[in-house]
Amino acid sequence: MTSVATLPARDPAARRPRPRSYLMCRPEHFEVTYAINPWMDTSDPVDRALALAQWDALRAAYEAHGHSVEVIEPVAGLPDMVFAANGGLVIGEKALSARFANPEREKEGPAYHEWMAGRGFAEVMAARETNEGEGDFAIAGDRILAGTGFRSARGAHEEVAEYFGMPVVSLDLVDPRFYHLDTALMVLDDTIAYYPAAFSGPSARLLAQMYPDAIIATDADAEVLGLNGVCDGYHVFLTDKATALAEQLRARGYEPIGIDLSELLKSGGSVKCCTLELHRVRTAAGSGTD
Ligand code: ARG
């Protein structure tokens, strides 16, 4: 049985950024040599120098806003390793490394696992089920929203619920352009932003019921992966192309920070895809997970 309790709405004027820890992977080996989602066109060359400069700017924006960034060593021959969100899930002292759906990305699972094992978390486990990490799992307060349909298996939702001891809400993705949950839904401070057409009818209805005050993205903003953003409680780092979404965020008391990641978009990724949050567990005032 799925809990549909809604989060208490926060006074927009009281929103504050909370310092976060992110893991990123520099796109030193980035290219588009295979196509595993509709955004990838192997005949459209990528400008790696530009990809590196755009990624450096994203990292600098996080650091300029008080967040810490750790980096994992990129591996030659793994061009999508830049999409660190897919490396797994980290909540408090527990880490779960990914198991990729496509053979082209398979070796990234052990690479992220090794990083997690060396980082000194209390518990590190490799996913048994197909699981593309924060690409399909969004931590929203004291529950986890999880996508399935293209990449992560439904069985992974159960595995995550059991491993982290948190309720997981399963959502079905139906549009191949929005193949990961984080391309269609972004967790904000006290609500979410999402694109209903990316979800099955029942899943879209469930989201509407759980988050009656959610921000609904326009087609145009969803189609530039505007929802692939990162919120620190106040700032929202997202593509600079999602202009209507930036206005919607501003109207709710958030500060959008526009980032140009046009080269990474050629692989079907944007801000959130490049970012694995090492979530902290909040205990004192206001329980839940950042
Ligand atoms: N080319 C990558 C893939 O198709 C992009 C991954 C984007 N990551 C994400 N978290 N949505 O797997």
Side-chain angles (χ1 to χ4, degrees):
M1 196 41 214
T2 303
S3 150
V4 292
T6 56
L7 290 171
R10 209 185 293 274
D11 171 8
R15 289 194 210 291
R16 298 282 178 274
R18 287 184 297 279
R20 309 289 173 128
S21 300
Y22 300 126
L23 175 66
M24 298 179 72
C25 180
R26 207 160 180 267
E28 278 163 29
H29 306 291
F30 179 62
E31 53 189 351
V32 177
T33 50
Y34 53 79
I36 54 172
N37 71 53
W39 301 85
M40 302 174 86
D41 175 357
T42 55
S43 66
D44 184 9
V46 304
D47 179 340
R48 191 180 293 150
L50 182 56
L52 285 163
Q54 291 176 338
W55 183 95
D56 287 344
L58 173 61
R59 177 186 182 164
Y62 285 145
E63 290 174 339
H65 288 86
H67 306 301
S68 66
V69 175
E70 298 181 41
V71 290
I72 177 173
E73 193 61 38
V75 175
L78 298 178
D80 276 339
M81 197 170 162
V82 57
F83 301 116
N86 298 129
L89 278 174
V90 178
I91 306 176
E93 279 303 307
K94 284 184 125 178
L96 183 70
S97 64
R99 178 177 298 273
F100 283 83
N102 296 287
E104 293 88 343
R105 299 195 65 186
E106 205 179 308
K107 292 201 181 88
E108 292 182 45
Y112 278 95
H113 187 91
E114 203 183 308
W115 182 86
M116 289 168 180
R119 171 68 165 60
F121 295 111
E123 229 179 297
V124 182
M125 191 176 97
R128 264 179 287 119
E129 301 279 341
T130 302
N131 180 326
E132 297 203 352
E134 280 202 318
D136 277 322
F137 292 87
I139 287 111
D142 46 19
R143 68 178 156 222
I144 300 177
L145 306 177
T148 187
F150 298 101
R151 300 291 181 88
S152 300
R154 185 170 286 273
H157 298 185
E158 279 144 44
E159 187 180 9
V160 162
E162 199 181 312
Y163 183 63
F164 290 105
M166 287 172 74
V168 171
V169 179
S170 289
L171 300 163
D172 292 307
L173 295 163
V174 296
D175 181 332
R177 291 172 305 164
F178 306 104
Y179 55 94
H180 276 140
L181 183 69
D182 71 359
T183 62
L185 181 149
M186 153 162 71
V187 173
L188 298 170
D189 185 29
D190 50 4
T191 189
I192 62 169
Y194 70 108
Y195 184 54
F199 296 89
S200 70
S203 294
R205 281 193 290 279
L206 180 58
L207 286 171
Q209 199 184 344
M210 290 171 72
Y211 299 102
D213 59 351
I215 292 178
I216 304 297
T218 60
D219 295 350
D221 286 343
E223 285 162 12
V224 291
L225 294 189
L227 290 163
N228 196 249
V230 170
C231 178
D232 67 11
Y234 174 64
H235 306 103
V236 181
F237 302 86
L238 79 171
T239 169
D240 57 358
K241 313 291 184 302
T243 48
L245 185 53
E247 278 320 303
Q248 287 167 294
L249 288 164
R250 226 183 275 285
R252 301 289 192 95
Y254 295 96
E255 187 182 329
I257 311 285
I259 309 280
D260 181 7
L261 284 182
S262 59
E263 287 310 295
L264 281 309
L265 189 63
K266 292 179 178 172
S267 193
S270 190
V271 172
K272 172 62 206 166
C273 297
C274 293
T275 315
L276 177 66
E277 183 164 352
L278 311 175
H279 291 273
R280 298 172 193 191
V281 177
R282 274 187 281 155
T283 40
S287 67
T289 306
D290 263 347

